Amino acid sequence: MTPPLDPASLDAQRVLVVAPHPDDEALGCGGLLWHLARRGRLIHVLFVTDGGASHLHSPTWPRARLAATREAEAASALRELGLGSAPRTFLRLPDADLPPHGSPGDAAALQGVTAIVRSVEPDVVLLPWRRDPHRDHRDAWSLVTRALDSAGMAPATLEYAIWLDEIGVADDHPRPGEMERVGYAIGNALPAKRRAVAAHRSQCGELIHDDPTAFCLTEATIERLTGPVETYWRPL
Ligand SMILES: [Zn+2]
């Protein structure tokens, strides 16, 4: 395996980060973002869904309250990564229920994201892995990829997988000749990345205790995604 790269080697001035849910930016890219922020790169974070489906059966946390809290948690996470004043967009599409491809809702979302990519003009886009087992991640990849196409833009892309190694099947993984694996040694960004993940308190079982069916990031998942190297996939 090739040795991991130093984040300083990433030639990026304007970076768009695509997080299907609030927490993916920290889990998937937190270390690289911390380094890029310290180098003064322009970083715009696009949160695609409202994250409101993680506690659907909580009597005290209706969807709107949870979604607002998740935005506040995302803001805290960005502060931990040195991105407290970085621009961000909360697209607020429904978590676990993105509008189907070709529907009016999809067309509106596509128009909105196309306007964002035109305004950010990224030279690198950090995307969720195109075949992540979580549907929202695949849909977010598709939405932003189509927006770049419709804007006539072809920035470099790096894709980060969140659920692939945990619940992915063989077909979900990169195919021979499809992608190149890039590992970034995040080094001294690790404590900030861990704090950024922990800032998503509702997803770490810290905040809401009245929904036994709720989603919760396990310690094993957090450990897996907060190691010394962040893995990205670059299309060949
Ligand atoms: Zn996610």
Side-chain angles (χ1 to χ4, degrees):
M1 196 192 300
T2 49
L5 299 173
D6 186 293
S9 67
L10 182 66
D11 182 21
Q13 295 302 321
R14 304 173 66 83
V15 180
L16 176 66
V17 186
V18 179
H21 310 98
D23 74 6
D24 292 314
E25 81 297 342
L27 289 164
C29 317
L32 181 55
L33 293 180
W34 185 86
H35 284 287
L36 293 173
R38 284 167 71 89
R39 287 179 168 75
R41 306 301 205 268
L42 185 144
I43 298 173
H44 188 115
V45 187
L46 171 63
F47 296 96
V48 176
T49 75
D50 65 1
S54 64
H55 294 70
L56 287 174
H57 301 103
S58 165
T60 56
W61 287 81
R63 190 166 184 137
R65 183 185 182 200
L66 176 58
T69 296
R70 294 201 64 180
E71 290 190 9
E73 291 173 342
S76 299
L78 293 182
R79 275 196 296 278
E80 297 290 358
L81 296 174
L83 294 168
S85 54
R88 76 285 312 258
T89 303
F90 292 99
L91 209 55
R92 298 176 181 145
L93 294 178
D95 185 4
D97 193 22
L98 268 72
H101 196 161
S103 68
D106 177 62
L110 182 57
Q111 193 175 31
V113 176
T114 302
I116 291 166
V117 299
R118 282 204 171 108
S119 122
V120 176
E121 295 186 281
D123 46 31
V124 172
V125 182
L126 305 182
L127 287 164
W129 167 238
R130 59 187 69 192
R131 289 190 299 279
D132 194 288
H134 194 309
R135 203 191 103 181
D136 287 350
H137 287 229
R138 300 197 302 271
D139 289 347
W141 177 88
S142 164
L143 178 63
V144 177
T145 301
R146 286 182 287 133
L148 290 168
D149 277 351
S150 83
M153 299 166 71
T157 55
L158 292 169
E159 302 181 22
Y160 63 91
I162 296 292
W163 300 108
L164 181 66
D165 287 342
E166 210 164 302
I167 54 174
V169 298
D171 277 354
D172 297 334
H173 286 264
R175 295 158 187 159
E178 182 185 26
M179 312 294 290
E180 173 191 23
R181 182 185 177 283
V182 184
Y184 280 103
I186 65 171
N188 54 357
L190 192 51
K193 174 170 180 171
R194 287 178 179 265
R195 288 196 304 273
V197 171
H200 293 281
R201 296 182 65 225
S202 66
Q203 306 305 292
C204 299
E206 296 284 326
L207 191 63
I208 304 171
H209 304 287
D210 57 3
D211 180 357
T213 66
F215 171 81
C216 183
L217 284 167
T218 65
E219 275 183 35
T221 295
I222 292 173
E223 279 300 310
R224 180 173 61 76
L225 291 169
T226 55
V229 175
E230 279 178 356
T231 298
Y232 295 87
W233 298 96
R234 180 158 56 196
L236 289 171

